[in-house]
Amino acid sequence: MKLTKAERHQVKLRLGLSGASGFGKTYSALLLAYGITNDWSKIAVIDTENGSASLYSHLGDYNTLTLEEPFNPERYIEAINTCEKSGMEVIIIDSISHEWSGKNGCLELHEQLGGKFQDWARITPRHQAFVNKIIQSSCHIITTVRRKVDYSMDADMNGKSKVVKHGTKEITREGFEYELTANFELINDKHLAKASKDRTGLFMDKPEFIINSATGKKLMEWCNKGISLSKIQEEILKCETIEALKQLYTKYPSFQKEMHLLIMEKKGQLDDINNQLISSKQVVKSNEFVEHASNSSK
């Protein structure tokens, strides 16, 4: 356990878009994605909304992956893996609400087990694996979430129960927003948005705005500030000892997944060099022994 100097690293964006049906979640997500990558062919939409992602094909040649029921966490993870292996830069998951409340989503899986509180011990790890896949993905991720009106039964001043409306609530497990870089709530059918969470500081406490490709570009500029993977790759190539590689791996914990293959390749090169040096020294010693033996016999 040791202290290290805080350094700003380049990161992959984890963005959330929530709103009621018809408020423009899919359309806004596509514009965000294009602003991030500037290449429609590097965008993939995991579509759980009956092909709704294809409605905007006029925008550009992005890719779609239709995800039908069952909507269990493992199916979502498989879909993300497929997009990553295909070389996508931005993945839009439209939407993650089905993973929670859809057919064979977490809520239904919990009910199938009996619906008891202790049954969550078997469902929560599966949901967390899905969340972890989003967090650890090598791609930028945009998730869309449906919202519903949130009600409660409260007692009035006379002690009578009444239904109270508390605005809207995201249809996913509570707390998901905390994992995001920024979360935008679409507040009406005019596509107006506001930030409910914003680690970038670019949108929080600002007037409502309409999401477009410039929004994605602005987020990408923020994302690219700091230490880049390419800089780390240069440092790896300059390492001359195994110990230097170990120190570099420890220095950048948030890049260890991306560094692993490069580190192992460089280690292999250093091992080859060390083996060649050892062989050369053995040849020299062998020649010296032969020469000494020859002189002794004379």
Side-chain angles (χ1 to χ4, degrees):
M1 188 180 298
K2 65 176 182 178
L3 291 171
T4 58
K5 182 181 177 182
E7 293 181 294
R8 169 70 185 277
H9 297 170
Q10 290 186 6
V11 296
K12 295 296 183 179
L13 293 166
R14 306 289 180 252
L15 305 174
L17 285 174
S18 65
S21 178
F23 279 18
K25 296 186 294 296
T26 306
Y27 182 75
S28 298
L30 284 165
L31 294 181
L32 260 180
Y34 182 69
I36 290 170
T37 187
N38 203 36
D39 184 348
W40 287 109
S41 69
K42 293 295 183 180
I43 300 169
V45 184
I46 298 173
D47 184 0
T48 69
E49 301 284 352
N50 300 314
S52 65
S54 298
L55 297 175
Y56 306 104
S57 58
H58 62 281
L59 292 174
D61 295 326
Y62 55 89
N63 306 277
T64 61
L65 188 160
T66 301
L67 186 63
E68 299 175 339
E69 59 181 66
F71 294 115
N72 58 59
E74 292 76 21
R75 293 259 294 153
Y76 274 83
I77 292 171
E78 182 183 354
I80 295 171
N81 283 332
T82 299
C83 294
E84 290 177 339
K85 291 174 182 177
S86 299
M88 297 295 104
E89 292 180 6
V90 184
I91 301 172
I92 299 170
I93 308 176
D94 187 31
S95 72
I96 65 168
S97 292
H98 295 78
E99 184 270 343
W100 186 245
S101 65
K103 182 67 175 177
N104 285 121
C106 290
L107 291 179
E108 188 170 296
L109 291 172
H110 178 248
E111 287 299 317
Q112 291 171 358
L113 291 175
K116 298 178 181 178
F117 179 78
Q118 56 265 35
D119 293 327
W120 281 113
R122 295 174 61 184
I123 302 300
T124 296
R126 297 174 65 179
H127 172 73
Q128 192 58 47
F130 161 67
V131 174
N132 289 342
K133 183 60 186 176
I134 292 175
I135 296 170
Q136 297 165 6
S137 175
S138 58
C139 303
H140 301 285
I141 301 270
I142 301 172
T143 62
T144 72
V145 187
R146 294 177 177 180
R147 297 188 77 95
K148 66 177 181 180
V149 178
D150 188 26
Y151 295 98
S152 69
M153 292 293 292
D154 295 347
D156 60 18
M157 295 179 64
N158 298 318
K160 294 182 179 180
S161 296
K162 63 176 181 179
V163 177
V164 178
K165 181 179 177 181
H166 297 286
T168 59
K169 182 180 181 180
E170 292 185 352
I171 305 176
T172 187
R173 190 166 197 171
E174 188 175 349
F176 176 75
E177 183 183 68
Y178 300 131
E179 309 293 348
L180 301 173
T181 311
N183 195 42
F184 301 117
E185 180 186 347
L186 294 162
I187 60 176
N188 60 28
D189 58 3
K190 304 299 182 184
H191 299 190
L192 269 180
K194 64 178 181 180
S196 58
K197 181 199 176 165
D198 180 20
R199 288 180 177 170
T200 72
L202 297 171
F203 307 98
M204 203 65 185
D205 300 322
K206 302 289 177 64
E208 289 85 1
F209 61 98
I210 295 177
I211 293 172
N212 54 32
S213 59
T215 312
K217 184 178 180 181
K218 187 182 294 186
L219 283 162
M220 196 60 188
E221 289 172 352
W222 175 88
C223 177
N224 284 335
K225 292 178 181 178
I227 298 169
S228 66
L229 183 58
S230 60
K231 179 180 180 297
I232 295 173
Q233 291 172 340
E234 291 176 6
E235 292 187 48
I236 292 173
L237 294 174
K238 291 178 182 178
C239 286
E240 297 181 353
T241 65
I242 301 297
E243 184 60 32
L245 283 176
K246 290 179 179 178
Q247 291 176 359
L248 198 60
Y249 189 74
T250 304
K251 182 179 178 182
Y252 300 115
S254 60
F255 282 94
Q256 287 178 351
K257 182 179 178 181
E258 294 85 351
M259 292 168 63
H260 181 74
L261 183 59
L262 290 169
I263 289 280
M264 296 308 295
E265 288 178 353
K266 184 64 178 181
K267 180 180 180 297
Q269 294 172 8
L270 292 175
D271 285 340
D272 289 342
I273 293 171
N274 288 335
N275 290 333
Q276 290 173 10
L277 288 173
I278 292 171
S279 297
S280 297
K281 289 178 181 179
Q282 289 174 342
V283 169
V284 170
K285 287 182 179 180
S286 178
N287 290 338
E288 289 176 348
F289 175 78
V290 171
E291 184 178 350
H292 178 72
S294 177
N295 292 334
S296 297
S297 64
K298 291 179 180 180

